[in-house]
Amino acid sequence: MKWLITTVVVFLLLSAAGQNTTNPKLGIPRRSDPVRLWSVDLSKDSDFQTRLKVPETVLRPPMLDFVSNDQIIVSFDDNVPTTDLPSMNPYGFHVLQVSSDSGKVGKRLLFKVLNDTSQAVPISGDGFVVLAGEELLKYSSTFEKSIGIPTPLELHGQPTKMILTDRVFFNPHYETWQVDVAPCGQQLVLTHRETPKQMEISWVRSSDFTVVATAKVEPSRHVAGGDDSALLWDPKLRVTSDGTQTPFCIGSAQCFRAYFVTDDLLLLDKGKKYEIVTLGGERRAGGHLNVNIPQFSRSMNARRFAYATSHYKGSGFPIQTQFSPEMRVRIFDWGTMKQVAEIPFAKPEQSVMTGFRQSAIALSHDGRNVAVLIDSILSLYQLPE
């Protein structure tokens, strides 16, 4: 009888403890860890399936965003631009609607394009904009089109003939457009690279596409948009809507990327570490990275952002023989300046490895969920409060 009572007491104690902690060896999540709600394989979708026929080493990674807490969009190319030809052939840029409740694919959009510069980005008011072809279009979260403005190209997307020394070169990125959205979601930053030496930035209201301001700047391959300024990654300049240009990452030997956390806070990718600084350069937080921040997503209505950092396990010095890719998705609260969650991912070592190149992340508007797309597997995780 005494043995039975002892066994029951031990069982109850373990059960009570199991409500808050778990066995780490079994990999069971603790109460405060992210919980995977569902996973779906997009390779079963006919549109997404098309892109899987193209080698992932040359294919542009997909894009992932929440347009509302209930709706996710997955946007992607189904091919790559034609190369080494004076005339390029069209292919498809797709936008899929995915329910955050179930992962079920709903409505879809298809745009015929010539180049890998198309985008779909969320805006405030549960909607998104699509930059494809020669037009910027606005859609609701239910995929209803409303307004649009032209984004004309002199050669309508075909490459521009250039001469480098004695070689003729057809430049497909001679003239391009790019769009980003400010943290508030109410302002778009539309960049038009007119020539390899000149670019125009326009601040556009997302509600009615009214142009608020413009500025001429040095071209940059990547631009991060703010409410009244923009970050040029390549020359490392912050450009305000009145045309003022100010360097950022001053005195830093390494500063690869920069993202707007808010209109007043920046996330700086410094290779092996990150820093959160004010526009004035005051450091607020920092931490370790595996290698860089290739993916970033911020919550539109909560004080959180997410980023991915990855590397090959076994890399470094001394050189090891096992090189399996690993990625960690981290969620950060910029109100408390603390990390609130981390989700690790790993792949086995393969003869030809591209790591997590074909992956994307997105944080919900309320900051409670994060979506992660790896290759063709889309998963949704619930985050701790």
Side-chain angles (χ1 to χ4, degrees), residues 1-28:
M1 185 67 179
K2 187 180 295 185
W3 173 84
L4 178 60
I5 293 174
T6 303
T7 302
V8 171
V9 171
V10 172
F11 174 79
L12 291 174
L13 289 173
L14 289 175
S15 298
Q19 293 178 4
N20 294 306
T21 60
T22 55
N23 186 344
K25 293 182 179 180
L26 297 179
I28 303 174

Side-chain angles (χ1 to χ4, degrees), residues 128-131 134-139 144-151 188 190 204-210:
F128 62 101
V129 298
V130 176
L131 177 65
E134 296 182 82
E135 198 169 13
L136 180 70
L137 299 169
K138 182 178 178 181
Y139 289 87
E144 296 176 356
K145 184 171 65 174
S146 55
I147 58 176
I149 56 174
T151 54
L188 297 172
L190 186 63
V204 181
R205 283 203 300 257
S206 61
S207 58
D208 56 10
F209 281 7
T210 298

Side-chain angles (χ1 to χ4, degrees), residues 149-216:
I149 56 174
T151 54
L153 298 166
E154 184 176 350
L155 298 183
H156 307 292
Q158 294 292 349
T160 299
K161 183 178 180 180
M162 299 179 66
I163 299 177
L164 297 177
T165 60
D166 58 347
R167 176 175 171 266
V168 176
F169 170 62
F170 289 91
N171 186 352
H173 295 105
Y174 183 91
E175 183 184 12
T176 57
W177 290 82
Q178 180 184 345
V179 66
D180 196 18
V181 62
C184 63
Q186 299 176 359
Q187 198 95 302
L188 297 172
V189 176
L190 186 63
T191 57
H192 180 201
R193 181 175 172 174
E194 301 163 311
T195 71
K197 295 184 178 181
Q198 181 171 301
M199 185 169 73
E200 182 178 75
I201 301 180
S202 299
W203 283 264
V204 181
R205 283 203 300 257
S206 61
S207 58
D208 56 10
F209 281 7
T210 298
V211 177
V212 178
T214 60
K216 296 286 187 180

Side-chain angles (χ1 to χ4, degrees), residues 34-38 64 66 72 100 297-298 304-308 329-331 341-343 345 360-373 378-384:
V35 177
R36 188 174 64 179
L37 300 178
W38 50 257
L64 188 65
F66 278 85
I72 301 169
S100 61
S297 176
R298 61 176 171 257
R304 289 183 173 184
F305 65 85
Y307 68 90
V329 176
R330 296 170 178 167
I331 294 81
E342 179 175 285
I343 311 173
F345 300 91
I361 63 173
L363 194 60
S364 64
H365 289 194
D366 58 13
R368 296 179 179 177
N369 297 311
V370 63
V372 181
L373 175 61
L378 175 63
S379 303
L380 185 71
Y381 295 83
Q382 185 180 58
L383 300 173

Side-chain angles (χ1 to χ4, degrees), residues 33-342:
D33 287 344
V35 177
R36 188 174 64 179
L37 300 178
W38 50 257
S39 292
V40 295
D41 188 354
L42 293 180
S43 67
K44 298 178 181 179
D45 181 84
S46 57
D47 289 341
F48 197 90
Q49 199 176 75
T50 306
R51 75 189 303 275
L52 301 180
K53 302 174 184 177
V54 184
E56 62 180 33
T57 54
V58 296
L59 190 63
R60 186 169 64 137
M63 291 164 280
L64 188 65
D65 284 291
F66 278 85
V67 296
S68 70
N69 290 323
D70 301 323
Q71 297 289 345
I72 301 169
I73 55 172
V74 182
S75 53
F76 55 90
D77 299 323
D78 64 20
N79 211 328
V80 294
T82 308
T83 58
D84 297 327
L85 290 174
S87 179
M88 301 174 73
N89 300 319
Y91 57 93
F93 175 70
H94 302 257
V95 182
L96 302 184
Q97 178 192 54
V98 180
S99 168
S100 61
D101 290 333
S102 61
K104 183 179 179 181
V105 177
K107 297 180 180 180
R108 59 192 68 214
L109 301 171
L110 171 62
F111 303 87
K112 288 298 182 180
V113 298
L114 296 174
N115 219 322
D116 56 356
T117 55
S118 304
Q119 294 174 261
V121 296
I123 56 176
S124 63
D126 294 349
F128 62 101
V129 298
V130 176
L131 177 65
E134 296 182 82
E135 198 169 13
L136 180 70
L137 299 169
K138 182 178 178 181
Y139 289 87
S140 68
S141 60
T142 56
F143 278 45
E144 296 176 356
K145 184 171 65 174
S146 55
I147 58 176
I149 56 174
T151 54
L153 298 166
E154 184 176 350
L155 298 183
H156 307 292
Q158 294 292 349
T160 299
K161 183 178 180 180
M162 299 179 66
I163 299 177
L164 297 177
T165 60
D166 58 347
R167 176 175 171 266
V168 176
F169 170 62
F170 289 91
N171 186 352
H173 295 105
Y174 183 91
E175 183 184 12
T176 57
W177 290 82
Q178 180 184 345
V179 66
D180 196 18
V181 62
C184 63
Q186 299 176 359
Q187 198 95 302
L188 297 172
V189 176
L190 186 63
T191 57
H192 180 201
R193 181 175 172 174
E194 301 163 311
T195 71
K197 295 184 178 181
Q198 181 171 301
M199 185 169 73
E200 182 178 75
I201 301 180
S202 299
W203 283 264
V204 181
R205 283 203 300 257
S206 61
S207 58
D208 56 10
F209 281 7
T210 298
V211 177
V212 178
T214 60
K216 296 286 187 180
V217 297
E218 181 182 347
S220 173
R221 288 179 298 172
H222 301 284
V223 177
D227 191 47
D228 61 355
S229 62
L231 302 176
L232 311 184
W233 290 6
D234 298 337
K236 295 183 177 58
L237 291 174
R238 174 176 172 255
V239 182
T240 58
S241 55
D242 63 3
T244 303
Q245 300 186 20
T246 307
F248 65 89
C249 284
I250 300 175
S252 174
Q254 290 185 321
C255 187
F256 299 99
R257 298 174 178 87
Y259 305 91
F260 277 103
V261 174
T262 71
D263 282 319
D264 300 315
L265 289 176
L266 305 179
L267 173 65
L268 303 182
D269 172 0
K270 294 191 171 184
K272 286 289 187 179
K273 64 179 182 178
Y274 70 87
E275 288 185 354
I276 300 175
V277 301
T278 65
L279 289 181
E282 180 184 349
R283 187 180 187 274
R284 293 292 178 84
H288 171 75
L289 295 175
N290 289 333
V291 180
N292 298 119
I293 302 177
Q295 299 171 50
F296 170 82
S297 176
R298 61 176 171 257
S299 175
M300 198 168 290
N301 300 325
R303 299 184 303 179
R304 289 183 173 184
F305 65 85
Y307 68 90
T309 179
S310 58
H311 74 299
Y312 285 94
K313 184 178 180 180
S315 61
F317 185 83
I319 297 176
Q320 300 179 28
T321 57
Q322 299 297 316
F323 292 93
S324 55
E326 294 185 346
M327 180 177 77
R328 295 181 181 273
V329 176
R330 296 170 178 167
I331 294 81
F332 196 93
D333 186 322
W334 56 264
T336 61
M337 291 297 170
K338 293 181 179 179
Q339 181 174 302
V340 297
E342 179 175 285

